[in-house]
Amino acid sequence: MSQQGYVATPPYSQAQPGMGGYPAGFGSSPAQPLYAHYGGQPQSFTAPPTGKAAFLWSLIPPVKSNRFYPTGLILSFGKCVKKNKVIVRLHSCSVLKVVHPPLAYPAGPGPMQSPQAPHTSPPAQQPFQTAPPPTMGHSTLGPPPTGPHSPQMAHPQSPLAGPSMGGHQSMGGMGRPFPGPPPPGAGGFQQPGPGAAGQPGYPQQPQGTEAQLPDHCKALWICRASFLESDEAYSLNKTWLSGIICTQVTEDDQAKRGGQVYTTNLRGQVPPLVTTDYTVQDQGNASPRFMRCTTYSFPCTADLAKQCQVPLGAIIKPFAKVPKNETPLYVVNHGETGPIRCNRCKAYMCPYMQFIDGGRRYQCGFCNCVNEVPAFYFQHLDHMGRRVDLYERPELLLGSYEFEATLDYCKNNKPASPPAYIFMIDVSYANIKSGLVRLVCEELKTLLDNLPRYTHNKHTSTVKVGFVTYNKILHFYNVKSALAQPQMMVVSDTAEMFVPLLDGFLVNFQESRAVITNLLDQIPDMFADTNESETVFAPVIQAGVEALKTAECSGKLFIFHSSIPTAEAPGKLKNRDDKKLINTEKEKTLFQPQKGVYEQLSKDCVSQGCSVDLFLFPSQYVDLATMGDVPTHTGGSIFKYSNFQVYTNSMHFLSDLRKDVEKAIGFDAIMRVRTSTGFRATNFFGAIHMNNTTDVEMAAVDCDKAVTVEFKHDDKLSEETGALMQCALLYTTVSGQRRLRIHNLSLNCSAQLSELYKSCETDALINFFAKSAYRAMLNQPLKTVREILVNQTAHMLACYRKNCASPSAASQLILPDAMKVFPVYLNSLMKTGPLVGSAELSTDDRAHQRLSTTAMGVEDTQLLLYPRLVPLHNMDFASDVVPAPVRCSEERLTDAGMFLLENGRSLFLWLGQACPPELVQRVFNVPSLAHVPADLSSLPVLDNPQSKKLRSIIDSLLDQRPSAMKLLIVKQKDRSEMLFRQHLVEDKGLHGGASYMDFLCYVHREIRQVLT
Ligand SMILES: [Zn+2]
């Protein structure tokens, strides 16, 4: 078998026996599949097939219905309306210094040296293996690169040998090791106690030095020390790494496939990378913008799948934005009987249906059932057996299209209504004082002109709007267009929430503009003198659901909230943050939402099609894990602005709000993924709810939300027919029409694992790993989760090596070409806040990141795990070209440089100490770096090429990303640089975690362990 893959030769020798702790012999596959099962006993960790949501729901007894509907007017108004005027009176109502060991290499290529030469401890027993050609990134199909090249020699002081290695200073602020096998009985952090040395994965460490290190640094030190102890010659080698540099791979793909038209006519075709700029032409398979798979060639049998442990998954973003130069989806109407579907499996008419019998019948591509063609749909076949109307029917020709749904697809067989947006503003002391309430009210006056609308109805939106303010009690507003003044109605009984008015609460903005503007003008003043600092939260969501129920529509709640809800009411929360739990068995409890009220609320929301978007402005802990529970089960989003100040944060917040209000979205959605025989969807991740094992319910799904689906074998798959999948999403449009959005995708199947590895999509894989790890951390210690991540990675790569690569020395690290940057993503994932286990990070921030990732698409996880670091100082300011990103490593920063770094969440402009004053002058309009204000949140508008180009780069980034990002100006060596540096994912993590190079070495060792 020819070797396909990237061969890298780290210049160190064999791993020691006994390291790693994997079961011996990879070939004998474990009794249980390891992937997607977090932990030794799969049954105890695996989410039930219905997904987490369903698991949670099942614990809740059903509630009696209608309990929130008092009949008659027994409404407990605290204050009411007088002469149509709103009555305004409320009821009482050590920065650790981090030194990154430089990964710098000799500047020039220098003379090619024999790798052994400069090292004091050459790997005598191991002949040095040649490195790949210097320009890696192109597939290295064929034999491993051999020849006269010796690799360019590494830095004379490898991080392992240099002073930074043993030095206390360099270890400060970092240190979580690669997850090794758990020491027996040791919970929490992997610091081996006395006697732990010598355990698998914890080689003996030098005595004496450990004591100088902070606790959380020790294990990494041990891991590194092991290389020295075993007398391995260990050096960093630039050439070795150069082939597996993320930015090189993305750049190569851009060069190869960028700017091209990607036609989807081939089964099992691997799309361009998400970072590549391409145009899609739908010719029978869904665009990769809608569906991306972890591999485009499924293994034929479950045994093969188990052997390679590559998860079989698809990341589906049903409403992904389609660029202007691509065709929007066609809408098909099959008349009053509704879309044509297979009688047996209910798959919708699609290009995989085979017409036979002169066009009178068709065979379903998913279940093989032969169906009659309805008379109205009959068409003759041509000499090729194709329907002659093929090119007139999107559903026979395209991967993605929509059907108009009939009444059968509507709730209670009644036509759907347009959705409503309800704005719910916390008017407690904190929000009034910060100026937030005024800011929101001002913004809404203009923002509501931009409510989403369906294209054929361009002038006005059919989306209705409503307004609620609250602290301990709720205030509803009647903003009926006929009123001269808005009316307020107060509900103080938050235990039994109801909506005190039917008519006038949800209105058309255009019609009620005057009353609404009046209201928005008054709200900040009405509560200006409030002393109320307590808030409720669950009753607010309940009120929103009840309002939508009453109006018989779906919709979205925009909640602007500041504090942990401590007022006496359902869903009251208390501070349960406890840093002592970090790195213990109980750490997971920090991320588990409080059960009870919020679970039931999510369920109520989903059944009403009520999505919840939470804008949080906390100044301290708010139990985000619980407060974010409803948004993350209803297709909603959580936005968090800690210590909000109007001056510094309003731009960030307002652009988030604008994007959120305006974005394309569908409501009251239910998604089903059908597959051809032999495999099926078994596991789902996303901002979703599941009542059974197959139907993915989403109160709403917008253009940024994705659902990650895992597939498992039922049976053998056939190479001939491949693996087909059809995602059908039933939803309500913003104008109230019921639609079915269909995405079809066909993959190859192969009995050769090499095909699977060749067709892998690393960006999709890491999305799957991130979501499954973030789910697993609710049930397992982080240490175990991290171990499983590495374990599975080592198995995937070892299986490739064993089955697909030609025999080679064990010292060679051989990676499948399509997965060669996977380790850098995985390492970055393990260093993310949720998985890193550091007491320096806020629990709410970690919970926030965990929940936000749940619904991310492939583009977003890729960017999050490998931020773009763009050098700006040398670019051609006259051209439109944006410089290519460089490796996310300190090594790439230069004192005279200016860099932009962004990951979709944060945006930094980093200024080197020796940044040219002319450039600083032109960008900031100040004479020197020292004069650049630290709290600048946007660049001044200046009329020069440098300023213009920089602003245009930033603007275009902000435009592309789902959420807004606040620009942070960071000067080299300033305190704030820490924030920036934690995104340099190839370096050692500030809060723990290895550098890329160290991680590769570790993974390599694990692979070798698996193979022995
Ligand atoms: Zn069928």
Side-chain angles (χ1 to χ4, degrees):
M1 191 184 302
S2 80
Q3 179 170 310
Q4 297 149 335
Y6 175 64
V7 183
T9 308
Y12 58 81
S13 62
Q14 303 283 354
Q16 297 175 86
M19 286 163 67
Y22 289 105
F26 181 75
S28 57
S29 48
Q32 295 288 345
L34 284 164
Y35 76 82
H37 291 283
Y38 280 78
Q41 294 301 316
Q43 64 274 27
S44 60
F45 308 111
T46 314
T50 49
K52 182 184 110 206
F55 173 66
L56 295 176
W57 306 141
S58 65
L59 299 175
I60 308 292
V63 287
K64 58 183 193 286
S65 56
N66 294 334
R67 75 178 162 134
F68 298 109
Y69 281 108
T71 48
L73 248 177
I74 43 167
L75 310 180
S76 53
F77 290 4
K79 290 281 176 187
C80 213
V81 184
K82 202 176 186 179
K83 289 181 187 169
N84 277 354
K85 198 149 186 179
V86 176
I87 302 208
V88 187
R89 196 167 302 133
L90 289 172
H91 291 259
S92 51
C93 22
S94 81
V95 179
L96 287 166
K97 187 172 182 199
V98 176
V99 178
H100 293 270
L103 279 175
Y105 299 92
M112 289 301 201
Q113 292 169 294
S114 150
Q116 288 93 336
H119 281 271
T120 50
S121 51
Q125 73 282 27
Q126 181 70 44
F128 192 80
Q129 304 292 322
T130 49
T135 52
M136 191 40 224
H138 302 291
S139 307
T140 30
L141 299 176
T146 54
H149 307 284
S150 287
Q152 184 184 359
M153 211 39 236
H155 192 277
Q157 268 185 351
S158 84
L160 284 189
S164 61
M165 150 79 181
H168 187 170
Q169 202 178 45
S170 72
M171 306 299 283
M174 48 154 305
R176 202 192 54 70
F178 320 110
F189 203 75
Q190 306 129 309
Q191 181 199 337
Q199 286 177 57
Y202 290 101
Q204 185 81 42
Q205 67 160 96
Q207 292 296 312
T209 35
E210 183 193 348
Q212 302 160 13
L213 299 172
D215 277 359
H216 61 287
C217 298
K218 288 174 189 168
L220 179 59
W221 164 246
I222 297 160
C223 178
R224 305 173 129 223
S226 73
F227 285 101
L228 292 182
E229 270 232 325
S230 62
D231 204 27
E232 290 178 336
Y234 184 95
S235 68
L236 293 184
N237 185 300
K238 189 176 186 176
T239 316
W240 180 46
L241 196 58
S242 71
I244 40 182
I245 289 175
C246 190
T247 47
Q248 189 62 52
V249 170
T250 52
E251 221 174 291
D252 289 345
D253 196 66
Q254 175 66 33
K256 201 168 136 199
R257 308 180 77 170
Q260 296 183 11
V261 175
Y262 174 71
T263 48
T264 67
N265 55 341
L266 296 177
R267 190 178 84 188
Q269 188 180 204
V270 184
L273 297 180
V274 285
T275 42
T276 296
D277 175 27
Y278 58 93
T279 304
V280 180
Q281 191 174 45
D282 186 342
Q283 290 193 2
N285 285 291
S287 156
R289 303 187 201 286
F290 296 124
M291 280 176 103
R292 238 172 216 278
C293 292
T294 54
T295 176
Y296 287 77
S297 178
F298 277 9
C300 280
T301 64
D303 279 350
L304 279 175
K306 193 195 274 182
Q307 194 184 343
C308 69
Q309 294 200 21
V310 175
L312 307 178
I315 295 89
I316 306 173
K317 206 193 235 184
F319 281 95
K321 278 184 199 140
V322 175
K324 287 199 174 71
N325 57 348
E326 292 177 16
T327 320
L329 300 197
Y330 289 93
V331 182
V332 179
N333 188 345
H334 278 178
E336 56 194 24
T337 50
I340 298 174
R341 310 172 67 172
C342 168
N343 288 329
R344 188 193 288 163
C345 73
K346 303 292 176 197
Y348 294 84
M349 182 52 67
C350 70
Y352 312 142
M353 302 299 185
Q354 180 78 45
F355 287 85
I356 53 175
D357 198 10
R360 282 184 292 274
R361 297 194 296 166
Y362 69 93
Q363 183 168 25
C364 173
F366 298 94
C367 71
N368 299 321
C369 174
V370 173
N371 297 272
E372 298 288 326
V373 173
F376 78 90
Y377 201 66
F378 173 79
Q379 189 54 258
H380 294 286
L381 307 183
D382 67 11
H383 65 286
M384 304 275 287
R386 297 175 308 193
R387 284 172 61 116
V388 297
D389 63 349
L390 179 67
Y391 292 97
E392 293 150 33
R393 295 212 176 259
E395 73 275 24
L396 300 181
L397 202 60
L398 301 177
S400 301
Y401 44 88
E402 292 200 331
F403 285 116
E404 282 186 19
T406 51
L407 280 185
D408 292 342
Y409 295 86
C410 301
K411 244 179 215 167
N412 308 323
N413 286 351
K414 281 163 71 179
S417 313
Y421 285 7
I422 305 178
F423 297 88
M424 316 182 93
I425 308 168
D426 162 5
V427 289
S428 65
Y429 179 75
N431 275 354
I432 293 290
K433 185 167 165 264
S434 71
L436 177 78
V437 173
R438 191 171 295 279
L439 186 72
V440 171
C441 290
E442 276 307 309
E443 181 67 15
L444 288 180
K445 287 186 209 166
T446 50
L447 182 58
L448 296 183
D449 275 321
N450 302 331
L451 290 169
R453 59 206 68 196
Y454 198 67
T455 42
H456 67 73
N457 186 4
K458 280 184 181 158
H459 299 296
T460 58
S461 172
T462 46
V463 175
K464 292 201 165 117
V465 294
F467 303 88
V468 171
T469 55
Y470 67 94
N471 38 48
K472 260 166 51 175
I473 55 174
L474 279 79
H475 325 100
F476 294 79
Y477 296 93
N478 185 344
V479 282
K480 209 170 158 179
S481 59
L483 296 176
Q485 285 277 347
Q487 299 174 341
M488 178 205 257
M489 296 181 190
V490 177
V491 176
S492 53
D493 181 4
T494 50
E496 293 281 313
M497 187 45 63
F498 60 92
V499 179
L501 73 169
L502 296 175
D503 191 26
F505 178 63
L506 294 176
V507 298
N508 180 298
F509 175 65
Q510 317 292 341
E511 290 167 11
S512 291
R513 180 189 294 271
V515 195
I516 290 174
T517 306
N518 190 332
L519 171 69
L520 293 171
D521 279 337
Q522 290 192 50
I523 286 175
D525 297 330
M526 278 195 275
F527 300 99
D529 301 325
T530 185
N531 293 316
E532 187 53 71
S533 59
E534 287 202 311
T535 54
V536 295
F537 182 61
V540 179
I541 300 177
Q542 189 73 58
V545 182
E546 296 304 324
L548 296 180
K549 250 185 220 171
T550 311
E552 296 185 327
C553 67
S554 52
K556 180 143 97 162
L557 313 182
F558 296 78
I559 304 181
F560 306 92
H561 190 94
S562 65
S563 58
I564 189 164
T566 50
E568 209 50 59
K572 174 185 174 179
L573 297 175
K574 58 177 191 293
N575 189 334
R576 59 189 183 104
D577 191 16
D578 187 357
K579 288 282 194 323
K580 288 197 294 294
L581 299 184
I582 288 171
N583 287 314
T584 70
E585 288 279 333
K586 287 187 177 166
E587 183 171 5
K588 60 191 180 212
T589 59
L590 296 173
F591 304 105
Q592 292 164 350
Q594 296 293 287
K595 293 196 179 342
V597 171
Y598 291 97
E599 286 174 293
Q600 184 55 43
L601 259 184
S602 296
K603 208 173 177 180
D604 288 353
C605 283
V606 171
S607 70
Q608 187 54 43
C610 171
S611 177
V612 178
D613 278 356
L614 179 58
F615 293 80
L616 267 176
F617 306 86
S619 53
Q620 52 198 344
Y621 175 82
V622 291
D623 192 356
L624 199 142
T626 303
M627 291 191 74
D629 196 44
V630 177
T632 39
H633 283 106
T634 57
S637 306
I638 308 162
F639 303 88
K640 181 167 178 279
Y641 314 88
S642 299
N643 302 310
F644 180 83
Q645 288 181 315
V646 168
Y647 174 68
T648 47
N649 304 94
S650 60
M651 247 174 56
H652 181 200
F653 156 59
L654 291 179
S655 30
D656 272 337
L657 178 60
R658 264 175 236 135
K659 274 175 188 262
D660 197 43
V661 167
E662 296 169 11
K663 70 167 80 165
I665 186 168
F667 288 93
D668 203 6
I670 187 157
M671 186 176 102
R672 179 80 180 258
V673 180
R674 293 185 172 80
T675 51
S676 52
T677 50
F679 75 112
R680 67 196 157 89
T682 55
N683 211 351
F684 302 85
F685 305 85
I688 57 173
H689 169 72
M690 294 191 72
N691 265 327
N692 56 42
T693 54
T694 52
D695 295 324
V696 180
E697 293 182 56
M698 290 173 282
V701 49
D702 65 47
C703 55
D704 303 315
K705 298 289 187 298
V707 178
T708 297
V709 183
E710 186 183 12
F711 300 101
K712 290 268 168 69
H713 284 76
D714 278 334
D715 203 348
K716 262 190 154 177
L717 300 177
S718 137
E719 290 193 346
E720 193 188 331
T721 51
L724 312 179
M725 47 187 85
Q726 180 180 74
C727 162
L729 182 96
L730 175 66
Y731 74 100
T732 304
T733 68
V734 288
S735 52
Q737 290 143 326
R738 213 62 180 144
R739 286 279 173 80
L740 276 151
R741 180 168 280 221
I742 312 290
H743 297 300
N744 302 293
L745 190 62
S746 61
L747 308 181
N748 285 336
C749 295
S750 175
Q752 303 300 320
L753 281 178
S754 56
E755 289 298 313
L756 174 144
Y757 283 103
K758 207 159 67 181
S759 307
C760 269
E761 223 282 278
T762 291
D763 297 334
L765 263 180
I766 198 65
N767 178 284
F768 183 93
F769 271 73
K771 291 187 183 183
S772 53
Y774 282 0
R775 179 185 287 178
M777 63 182 275
L778 286 185
N779 302 313
Q780 286 185 276
L782 289 186
K783 184 164 63 72
T784 314
V785 175
R786 294 190 299 248
E787 283 162 15
I788 292 163
L789 286 172
V790 175
N791 190 317
Q792 188 175 348
T793 303
H795 273 84
M796 292 194 306
L797 299 174
C799 177
Y800 172 78
R801 177 161 190 149
K802 187 175 178 202
N803 297 290
C804 310
S806 50
S808 53
S811 58
Q812 284 190 326
L813 173 61
I814 299 176
L815 303 170
D817 198 53
M819 280 171 72
K820 64 188 174 211
V821 292
F822 186 74
V824 78
Y825 288 120
L826 188 83
N827 186 37
S828 176
L829 171 64
M830 298 208 301
K831 291 189 280 187
T832 55
L835 286 179
V836 83
S838 161
E840 291 164 47
L841 299 171
S842 103
T843 304
D844 275 345
D845 281 342
R846 295 174 69 199
H848 184 210
Q849 191 177 346
R850 194 186 84 77
L851 294 174
S852 313
T853 310
T854 306
M856 272 191 186
V858 181
E859 297 83 355
D860 299 339
T861 46
Q862 191 276 339
L863 189 60
L864 187 73
L865 296 175
Y866 203 94
R868 285 159 56 105
L869 178 63
V870 182
L872 302 172
H873 45 282
N874 290 329
M875 67 179 170
D876 177 2
F877 289 99
S879 88
D880 287 337
V881 181
V882 177
V886 296
R887 288 175 52 199
C888 260
S889 166
E890 188 200 34
E891 183 197 336
R892 298 309 306 258
L893 302 176
T894 52
D895 286 0
M898 183 188 278
F899 289 82
L900 198 66
L901 184 143
E902 66 114 0
N903 69 350
R905 301 267 139 177
S906 309
L907 176 65
F908 298 92
L909 185 59
W910 183 91
L911 307 170
Q913 279 180 317
C915 192
E918 315 81 69
L919 186 57
V920 171
Q921 175 71 49
R922 297 197 143 242
V923 175
F924 296 98
N925 204 23
V926 293
S928 78
L929 192 64
H931 292 83
V932 175
D935 58 351
L936 214 58
S937 58
S938 65
L939 296 180
V941 179
L942 302 171
D943 187 19
N944 66 62
Q946 286 81 357
S947 173
K948 280 181 184 164
K949 170 121 189 203
L950 204 49
R951 283 183 289 114
S952 99
I953 291 177
I954 291 174
D955 288 348
S956 112
L957 279 180
L958 292 175
D959 191 46
Q960 290 166 34
R961 306 297 174 231
S963 23
M965 293 178 276
K966 184 186 169 192
L967 178 68
L968 282 172
I969 313 280
V970 172
K971 296 182 209 171
Q972 188 178 15
K973 298 225 161 78
D974 265 12
R975 238 180 119 85
S976 59
E977 205 189 10
M978 283 281 285
L979 293 170
F980 166 82
R981 281 184 184 266
Q982 66 185 353
H983 297 292
L984 298 176
V985 297
E986 289 200 17
D987 300 340
K988 279 176 286 188
L990 297 193
H991 304 290
S995 72
Y996 179 28
M997 176 57 83
D998 288 347
F999 184 71
L1000 269 180
C1001 295
Y1002 177 70
V1003 168
H1004 188 195
R1005 202 182 61 191
E1006 296 295 299
I1007 292 171
R1008 289 192 287 179
Q1009 197 62 44
V1010 173
L1011 290 171
T1012 47

